[in-house]
Amino acid sequence: MEKWQDPTESQKMEHIRQTFHNHEMPVDSFSDSIMKRIGDEGMEKRASRKSGNKFLKKSLVAAAAAAALGAGIIGSGFISPVMAETLKQIPVVGSIFKGIDDKGLNAAEEKGLSTAPNQSVTHDGVTLKVTDAYYDGSRLAFAIEREGIDKDKMMAEMIIEPIEFDPAVKEQQYAKVTMNQSEKGLLGSAEVKLPNGKNLESQMSSFGDVEGKKNAILYDYRNLNNVEALGNEFELSITVPVTQIAEPFEIKVPVKKVTEGIIKLDLNQTKEAEEFSYTITKLELTPATSRLQLSEEGKAPTVKEKDGYTTSEMFYEIVDELGNAFSSSGSFNLPAIVYPMVDKDFSPFPQTPKTITVKPFTYSIDESHKALRDEEGKQVKHYYPELEQTIQVEQE
């Protein structure tokens, strides 16, 4: 586990994201147990921010308006707002964001905060159309519909081709990650470029089939890093590979930043108990996500565990004054490790809270990093009340 203890969590997640972006995987950055867990759980569970969002049938480690009735109608631009709203009521035209098991994107769609770019590209009889987009500075999500091929599955199977690690080679060695080409028209990981030509950087990203919506796929990027210099309106270049089609699909997508309902707090709140302390540095609340940044120091706390189990790294739960609670996600449940920087993503609160209490907790994990579960199948958590602290969101 030495390789996993040196980088910060943010660096690890970014490295994983870049690995799949580049269709490569470093063979010496994953222990046998991590790779076993990935294999056991399957591609459908890895890094869907590990939040358990059911809208992704399959997801890979990793945010509305009406979808197009037809390029000749909406794509032409000759459509009134009243007609657009009417079209949204027709089931086959409704937003892909609507009704999926994601509180943030549902809220964005209901409040009219997402957009319908309806930009499309066609290659070899297959058309990909970006139908929905949401961006708030911390989260970017967009949905793509496929035309020309009608099948339930949208996401391509990713094949990991490991290589034998050579300790004599100083450079980072990689295993290739490729798409299974046995079926035509399946989509792989998207490359998202900013107006300056640089790739979008996010701490967590996912993509996968949308439950209950045929020929639709959702790409989701959270805890964005390099978007501070962007304005409120700009254009993204999204490139998506498709199986059995040589030319990648490059789609230019106009993006409008959501600015209403955004709260950003720069903080310096520290809590310490025994040998462990953590400092909350930033809190960001948007209509589609909640983001908490903090740093950890000292020695991670441990508790007496059941035989065969050890204490995981520290997780965090945020709770408002009404009792709405959300737990952090996006981790491999590593043994008690302290991170100099932690960037956590949560579901959005239903309304702006007056206060948020941060509750640290750990899991009990076995040697394969799987969490101990109770009789109801829920992961067993151990809370540390002595480490709780409250953030004042609304100033008195």
Side-chain angles (χ1 to χ4, degrees):
M1 297 306 299
E2 291 80 9
K3 286 286 183 179
W4 283 93
Q5 293 178 13
D6 291 336
T8 66
E9 180 178 22
S10 297
Q11 290 170 334
K12 290 186 300 181
M13 295 305 295
E14 174 61 16
H15 184 62
I16 293 171
R17 186 193 69 78
Q18 290 289 356
T19 288
F20 280 98
H21 241 342
N22 299 330
H23 290 179
E24 299 175 319
M25 178 170 285
V27 296
D28 63 337
S29 293
F30 296 85
S31 70
D32 291 340
S33 57
I34 290 292
M35 292 306 291
K36 181 179 184 300
R37 181 181 176 200
I38 291 174
D40 290 343
E41 294 185 357
M43 302 297 277
E44 64 267 29
K45 289 187 179 180
R46 187 166 63 258
S48 166
R49 307 197 338 62
K50 297 170 204 69
S51 59
N53 287 346
K54 297 179 182 178
F55 68 84
L56 294 181
K57 288 182 181 176
K58 297 181 179 180
S59 58
L60 185 65
V61 82
L69 178 61
I73 300 178
I74 297 180
S76 66
F78 296 104
I79 181 170
S80 70
V82 174
M83 178 60 74
E85 186 62 31
T86 300
L87 291 175
K88 287 176 66 175
Q89 308 308 316
I90 305 175
V92 297
V93 182
S95 165
I96 290 177
F97 288 172
K98 187 174 184 178
I100 62 176
D101 189 18
D102 183 292
K103 296 178 180 179
L105 295 183
N106 266 289
E109 195 279 335
E110 291 174 0
K111 296 176 182 178
L113 300 177
S114 52
T115 58
N118 292 310
Q119 304 296 310
S120 63
V121 171
T122 301
H123 294 310
D124 196 16
V126 175
T127 298
L128 298 186
K129 181 186 299 180
V130 178
T131 59
D132 305 85
Y134 173 86
Y135 168 71
D136 60 20
S138 186
R139 181 179 184 183
L140 168 71
F142 55 87
I144 292 179
E145 283 187 341
R146 176 186 58 200
E147 298 175 357
I149 290 181
D150 184 27
K151 59 178 64 175
D152 291 330
K153 187 166 64 172
M154 281 285 287
M155 178 180 165
E157 176 190 359
M158 308 306 291
I159 301 174
I160 302 174
E161 301 177 6
I163 62 174
E164 184 176 350
F165 175 67
D166 185 353
V169 177
K170 295 182 179 180
E171 292 78 13
Q172 179 71 65
Q173 299 171 62
Y174 293 93
K176 293 181 66 177
V177 178
T178 59
M179 297 189 300
N180 186 332
Q181 297 285 339
S182 60
E183 293 184 69
K184 182 180 179 179
L186 301 182
L187 283 62
S189 175
E191 180 183 70
V192 181
K193 286 190 176 295
L194 304 176
N196 60 11
K198 295 183 178 181
N199 286 333
L200 176 74
E201 296 178 5
S202 65
Q203 296 301 320
M204 289 168 281
S205 62
S206 65
F207 72 99
D209 295 1
V210 181
E211 187 74 38
K213 297 180 185 289
K214 194 175 182 181
N215 294 309
I217 191 168
L218 179 69
Y219 292 84
D220 194 4
Y221 304 83
R222 309 198 189 195
N223 294 13
L224 305 180
N225 288 333
N226 60 338
V227 295
E228 292 81 5
L230 299 177
N232 290 340
E233 295 188 40
F234 54 91
E235 185 178 74
L236 292 176
S237 176
I238 299 172
T239 303
V240 182
V242 178
T243 55
Q244 297 188 20
I245 299 179
E247 187 173 2
F249 288 66
E250 182 178 355
I251 311 173
K252 303 293 185 180
V253 179
V255 174
K256 185 176 181 180
K257 182 180 180 179
V258 172
T259 57
E260 61 181 87
I262 306 291
I263 293 177
K264 292 185 179 181
L265 299 178
D266 290 322
L267 303 165
N268 185 26
Q269 295 187 199
T270 301
K271 200 65 178 289
E272 181 178 2
E274 297 183 357
E275 298 180 74
F276 177 81
S277 70
Y278 72 104
T279 301
I280 301 172
T281 56
K282 289 183 182 294
L283 173 70
E284 183 172 359
L285 306 177
T286 82
T289 190
S290 301
R291 182 179 184 180
L292 184 71
Q293 292 180 318
L294 54 91
S295 60
E296 299 174 343
E297 291 185 357
K299 182 180 178 181
T302 59
V303 295
K304 186 177 180 180
E305 303 288 353
K306 179 181 176 181
D307 290 344
Y309 286 83
T310 187
T311 304
S312 75
E313 61 183 286
M314 188 68 78
F315 287 78
Y316 297 88
E317 183 175 282
I318 56 175
V319 185
D320 67 8
E321 72 280 2
L322 300 178
N324 296 301
F326 306 108
S327 295
S328 59
S329 57
S331 174
F332 284 108
N333 283 359
L334 297 177
I337 296 174
V338 171
Y339 297 106
M341 186 181 75
V342 178
D343 195 345
K344 293 294 187 180
D345 178 86
F346 306 81
S347 296
F349 287 96
Q351 61 188 40
T352 302
K354 295 180 179 179
T355 62
I356 291 177
T357 300
V358 179
K359 297 185 175 183
F361 69 91
T362 56
Y363 291 114
S364 298
I365 57 174
D366 63 17
E367 62 181 11
S368 297
H369 305 150
K370 292 182 179 179
L372 176 69
R373 296 181 180 273
D374 60 21
E375 296 179 353
E376 297 180 354
K378 297 180 180 179
Q379 293 180 331
V380 176
K381 297 179 179 180
H382 179 82
Y383 288 89
Y384 300 83
E386 67 275 19
L387 287 170
E388 293 181 5
Q389 53 182 316
T390 298
I391 301 170
Q392 194 72 34
V393 179
E394 288 190 358
Q395 300 302 316
E396 295 180 351

